[in-house]
Amino acid sequence: MFKKITALSLLFVMSVGMFSCTNEKKESESDESVVSNSTEENKEIVFKSVHGGEDFSLTSQDVKTLAINQNISGNEYIKITLESNANLYGEYKYSDVNQPDKVVTEPFYIESAEGVVEFKQFFDAFRDNAIGAFDKQLISISFTNLDTAVANVKIKDISVANRVVPAFEKEIYLEKNGLKIGADLAMGGTLSYLEKTSLNDQTIDEVINQNGEICIGVNAKESAKETLSSSVNLINICDAGREFQQSYYADIGGNMQEATGENGYDRRWSFTATREGYYWPYNPVQGGDEVCNLSQIIDYEVTKNSIYIKVRAMDWGNGYARPQYSTHPSHEKQKYGRTTKSYMENVYTIKGGMLYVDNRFVDWNGFTDMKNIPFHTLEIPAAYVVHPLHNYVCYTGDNPWELMDTTYDWQPNLPGWWDENVHVNRKHPEDWFAWVNDEQFGVGVYVPNTDHYASGRNNPERDTKHKHNNDAKTSKMAMEYLYNKKAPTSDYTSCYVGNTSYTAPVVHVRMKEYVPLSYTYVIAVDYLPVMRAAFKEIALSGGITNEGLDAWERLII
């Protein structure tokens, strides 16, 4: 039934506006979404103006500073209504009302657009060690023209509001058609929760079976030695580099052995890849960095049918002190890490019983000479699935969407995804992969216009017996960053443990400054034949092309 394909090459891949989509499946009007915890979103956001209209022109790199000088205590959400034909770099300057000599400058970026736009964001005030976690005197707002042509800017209004990121409701949910998803605001709005609440009126259970193995499956509790949960999160959330999330790389600032500061970027030391560590490349990661310094939410919106997220990502390899102090991960943790000058946006929408995820990224660091940097792989997306779904599968045949042709690359227990062990699919004519159990139930992902798939598993030689999988209750995500997520039902709750299944669809690109990259992927939770048939319907509709992945210079390998 299954045909194995040999990996053709080796890859080193480490963990780590609204959009529209025309390929949605028609649903009945009674098919309602449920937002599980949106009490804050049901309140009207009331803005008060702090600066009226003003028009000005800027030559390239010219700066305009607007004096505000207003106490905005309790108002951590700002809206700038404007028109601009140029890309603008901006800075908020504010001080602590109670310590006037404590002054902070916070950067932002507004893309050029036709017509009037509303740029909205939270000040950095709601995460641990936030730079602006105090009552503010807003001193000024400055704008710099990033383009070569003259910028014509019309400020219509600048207003603030007392909207907050909820302190204890930082995972927000949608539920529809037997699918429940959650986005974690504490971890940059990553897709952190994926549950099939029922399948043909049957439950999805996480259990320890009679052989002492941890299993997830349909009605698995009927033959279980111990039932762990019947509300099972199918995404691994062990740390800020897991989840389903955006992750981007640019190979600048030197190399693995030496940080040179080239292109205006200072590499920092990382222990993600090796015990000895090395200088990590530029790597904005939506959830946070390698020591769980968490990303900054810029904006979010919850509606009946979707969740919108905008975030400034953390730089992954940035959590440690300089290597000469120690060669062990227990050495000094940096206080803040490094928040990148980039924006990531997501729209999560449940349609036709599947989850559509629209991703968008733009970098605005202003790195120099980017046309000459090496190409680097990107994870499109980084996808971490719970380890009991241990069979990797991908169609590799010559008859795409002939559903009777089951020429699959079926891998029951892959080795790790690091160094030479990564499993590679260069042939995937149907543009999907899946992680399933032995009954072919699991999670499938459809994502067109990528290159090869890189896949692997953590601790593959020993991660099925529950005695080797007992760190759930000590995971950081199960402790200080839990917020309103369910606590682990046992030490073996697989979404929290280190063991995981991983796949990244890969593209090779050179990052471009101020140029957005975008793509869409679809997640299904079902039996493999059902998921494949659903992906076929999407593919034949032509609604998802992911042309946005070609926005940067791309190398096809």
Side-chain angles (χ1 to χ4, degrees), residues 28-69:
S28 66
E29 293 182 359
S30 61
D31 191 18
E32 296 294 328
S33 295
V34 176
V35 180
S36 298
N37 57 331
S38 59
T39 53
E40 191 269 336
E41 291 310 305
N42 292 328
K43 299 177 181 178
E44 182 182 0
I45 301 172
V46 179
F47 288 93
K48 68 173 184 179
S49 180
V50 295
H51 192 281
E54 185 167 349
D55 299 351
F56 51 88
S57 296
L58 298 172
T59 59
S60 181
Q61 299 302 314
D62 196 8
V63 181
K64 173 69 174 181
T65 299
L66 304 181
I68 307 297
N69 294 318

Side-chain angles (χ1 to χ4, degrees), residues 368-385:
T368 62
D369 196 25
M370 296 293 279
K371 292 181 179 180
N372 294 315
I373 65 173
F375 287 89
H376 205 293
T377 56
L378 304 183
E379 299 160 296
I380 307 293
Y384 290 86
V385 178

